[in-house]
Structure formats: structure tokens, C-alpha cells
Amino acid sequence: MMNASLSVRPAAECRYDVVALGEVMLRLDPGERRVRNARRFDVWEGGGEYNVARGLRRCFGLRGAIVTALADNDVGRLVEDLMLGGGLDTSWVRWREFDGIGRRVRNGLNFTERGFGVRGALGVSDRGHTAVSQMRPEDVDWEALFSSGVRWLHTGGIFAALSESAADVAEAAMAAARRHGTVVSYDLNYRPSLWKGIGGVARAREVNRRLARHVDVMIGNEEDFTACLGFEVEGVSQDLTDLDTGAFRAMIERASGEYDNFQVVATTLRGVRTATVNDWGAIAWSRLEGFAEATHRPGLEIFDRVGGGDSFASGLAYGLMELDTLEQAVQYGAAHGALAMTTPGDTTTATLPEVTKLARGGSARVDR
């Protein structure tokens, strides 16, 4: 099956359907309590780029691998154990010798509150000097990876923000992928905390505009496109409660005009009423099919919003690899994102039948 908007290599000639490049952290979740007064935490693995490939493996049944680096200690091995449960090939993980206390290299931690009602979600990351931030382009044999056959590479702005060298690693991977006919997707995923100490918005824009030249499928939200690429979304309220799709369409047209390598551009539409009630939707554009818009879900009830955008990206990628049209792809992306936000943790627990049912207009009636 070939999607009308994007040419993707046949699965039969490839070792992997998807490879993700990014940091995988240990997420510590205090449940209903707050980080500041928690006495116990649940743990998951998670990372903006990793979550996309994991979703494609666990929900959509595709073959995937993760390229990352970890410090070789018990925390790193815990992250590995969690990743093995996610089903991705971990043979491309680079292990770094641990110095005993993390003076030179360590693993990233991410403390995350889900939020509730008027109290927004909160993320407190502890990821300085992590193993993956110290990667260099030559640490991975990109030619060997992509010559083995890879249909899709996914990376993004979180990884690129980790260090000066991380952006160079991303660029090396993206360039090698394109040489071998691999589709490259990139989620801008602007995080002010990551750019704060290294130049802020100006630096984020410099790095992301450079990497955008290697992208086939660009993904983001209203803040991402503005902060990372400099494309304003006109008429959007500061509290993001009034999301005009016309304004997003105009922004996408400007972006696709400046970057003629973009084949598909997609953006989620999230209006935050409270931490537990969001308006949720998405639109996408391709050069061959124009615009497509997912079913808008006003008043969507949220259990844990973290990872919703990543699950949108994996559903979109699945649709572009396996379904017929851009409209189907954006519907699957929005449905998968909505389902992922009904459970705790960064990563999806949805199934393909559940996504298909919701994407086709199904309800939440009990299945038994």
C-alpha cells in the first residue's frame, strides 16, 4: 500500500520500519501527589523521539530500533529493561563507562506531575552531562545502519537541544538517512528549559532552521513553529483557548514555501481549558494532497497529557507508511494521541483496533 502524500520504501526491502534518535530518560511519576512532597514514584522510560518509535512498535506492530546512549550502571540498565519491554531493537545503544558518581557521564531523570484541574502538569528534568548529550557524529556507523534498510527516521528538537554536538549528530543521521532513501521526520518539540542556558529562542531557531533542511515530514504545534522556525501563527490567543485552523493553514503554507524539502507538515491543536480537560485536534498538509483535518474533540478528558504529541506523531507516521491518504494518517495520529492521554506514563498502551475504532468515529462504549 502506498500513501498518496509520501513515497516510503517497501517494508520487504528494509530491516527496520522506523529508527528513532534521541535521549531515553527514566520518568519518575508521583501519581496523585506532587514531586515536592512525594514519598514514592512509579517509573517508566520515555523520551520525545523514543516514544514515537515505541508507539509504532507497540501499538502499530512495526519493526523499530532506538539510537541513544546510556551510562553503564544500574539506572541505565533499568532504562534498558524498560526499553526491552517496549519492543525496540537496542543493539544501537551506545554504552558509556560510569565513573562512580556521574561526574563525567550519567543518565537522565524526568520528574513529571500529571496536573489536575487548575494545576497544570509539571516537568522537572535532571539531564545535565548525560551520556547521549555527549554523543558525536562518528559514534554511530550511519552508513551501516541505513544501508541495512530503514523506511523512516524520527528525531527532533529535544535531542538537538541537549548539546552542541547533539545537533551535529542529528544532522549526520538525517543526511545519511536521506542518502539511502529513508523518510526523515522531525518534531520541533520546543522546550524553553532546554534552550534557556544556551541562547534561548535565538539559538533554538538557529539550530532548528539548519536541521529543517533535511526534513521530509515536519511536526510541531503553534509554539514550536514560532519559536523554532520563526513562523508566527496569527490570531492565536496567549492562553491557547482559541485555536483557529485558518491561522495554522496560513502558517503551514508559509513554512512549506520556504522549505521546499517539506513533503508533509502536521500540527496538533490543543486548547487547554484545564489540566484535565483539553480541546484536541490536528491538521496536516502535503504537497500532493493539500490540507486534511482530524476530527476535533472539544472537552477531551485527560489523565496524563505527557506523550500525547509523540503518540500523534507515531499515528501519523503509521498512516503515511501503511494507509492510503493524508486524511487517514492525520485521523490515526489524532486518535492515537487522544488514547495515549487516557493512561499514565509517556508511552502508549493503545492497540491498533482501538485507534482504528476511534479514528473512524467510534465511541467509548464498553467492549465485553
Side-chain angles (χ1 to χ4, degrees):
M1 186 177 292
M2 182 69 69
N3 190 281
S5 285
L6 196 65
S7 177
V8 184
R9 293 181 64 180
E13 67 181 42
C14 293
R15 178 182 180 185
Y16 300 115
D17 296 300
V18 60
V19 169
L21 168 64
E23 181 163 49
V24 186
M25 295 191 295
L26 189 68
R27 174 177 170 177
L28 294 100
D29 185 337
E32 296 176 355
R33 303 185 70 115
R34 308 210 54 184
V35 169
R36 64 181 63 184
N37 62 9
R39 295 298 180 267
R40 62 177 60 90
F41 294 88
D42 287 327
V43 296
W44 289 276
E45 87 283 23
E49 297 82 15
Y50 165 84
N51 295 341
V52 176
R54 188 191 187 281
L56 283 163
R57 173 66 187 91
R58 293 295 287 163
C59 177
F60 298 103
L62 302 187
R63 304 157 299 164
I66 176 66
V67 179
T68 192
L70 292 166
D72 195 355
N73 59 20
D74 278 17
V75 174
R77 294 298 172 178
L78 171 57
V79 174
E80 179 194 36
D81 192 62
L82 292 164
M83 288 194 296
L84 289 171
L88 297 182
D89 182 354
T90 59
S91 63
W92 296 92
V93 175
R94 307 296 93 175
W95 290 96
R96 299 295 182 240
E97 183 180 359
F98 185 58
D99 59 36
I101 63 171
R103 182 179 291 110
R104 294 190 303 273
V105 64
R106 54 192 294 272
N107 297 302
L109 305 177
N110 184 23
F111 297 81
T112 304
E113 296 176 13
R114 303 173 202 162
F116 186 85
V118 295
R119 175 172 59 85
L122 173 69
V124 182
S125 60
D126 181 14
R127 65 198 307 178
H129 309 293
T130 56
V132 73
S133 71
Q134 299 178 51
M135 284 183 70
R136 299 290 185 270
E138 62 272 15
D139 288 344
V140 177
D141 188 342
W142 303 112
E143 292 301 314
L145 173 58
F146 291 107
S147 65
S148 71
V150 180
R151 301 173 75 198
W152 195 287
L153 169 70
H154 181 75
T155 190
I158 292 178
F159 175 68
L162 296 180
S163 67
E164 189 74 33
S165 64
D168 295 334
V169 174
E171 188 165 32
M174 296 159 81
R178 288 173 67 88
R179 286 196 298 272
H180 288 276
T182 299
V183 170
V184 176
S185 66
Y186 188 93
D187 193 332
L188 292 163
N189 255 336
Y190 178 66
R191 300 289 185 269
S193 60
L194 290 178
W195 296 100
K196 181 179 178 180
I198 55 172
V201 171
R203 180 60 178 158
R205 195 166 294 177
E206 176 188 347
V207 169
N208 284 288
R209 287 180 68 87
R210 170 164 63 99
L211 296 179
R213 297 295 176 188
H214 302 279
V215 174
D216 300 297
V217 180
M218 181 60 82
I219 303 167
N221 62 25
E222 68 292 324
E223 184 181 21
D224 296 335
F225 279 97
T226 300
C228 296
L229 297 181
F231 296 108
E232 297 287 340
V233 183
E234 303 293 341
V236 174
S237 60
Q238 187 173 3
D239 59 4
L240 305 181
T241 56
D242 180 21
L243 298 178
D244 175 16
T245 60
F248 281 87
R249 289 169 184 250
M251 179 274 293
I252 288 172
E253 288 176 342
R254 293 196 302 274
S256 61
E258 181 166 337
Y259 292 93
D260 58 9
N261 51 292
F262 290 175
Q263 299 305 306
V264 175
V265 180
T267 178
T268 53
L269 303 171
R270 186 195 293 270
V272 180
R273 300 190 194 184
T274 71
T276 37
V277 177
N278 290 183
D279 298 331
W280 174 255
I283 58 172
W285 165 94
S286 76
R287 292 192 183 277
L288 296 177
E289 293 186 84
F291 283 97
E293 186 169 343
T295 300
H296 192 63
R297 295 181 171 88
L300 182 70
E301 293 176 291
I302 306 294
F303 187 82
D304 183 352
R305 66 164 283 164
V306 179
D310 302 331
S311 292
F312 165 76
S314 61
L316 179 80
Y318 171 79
L320 291 171
M321 281 190 272
E322 302 295 330
L323 303 178
D324 292 320
T325 67
L326 181 67
E327 196 274 336
Q328 290 174 306
V330 73
Q331 290 284 14
Y332 271 62
H336 190 220
L339 286 167
M341 292 185 290
T342 67
T343 55
D346 285 33
T347 55
T348 181
T349 61
T351 66
L352 178 53
E354 288 173 337
V355 174
T356 300
K357 176 184 175 181
L358 186 60
R360 293 176 177 174
S363 70
R365 286 181 60 87
V366 65
D367 284 326
R368 58 187 176 190

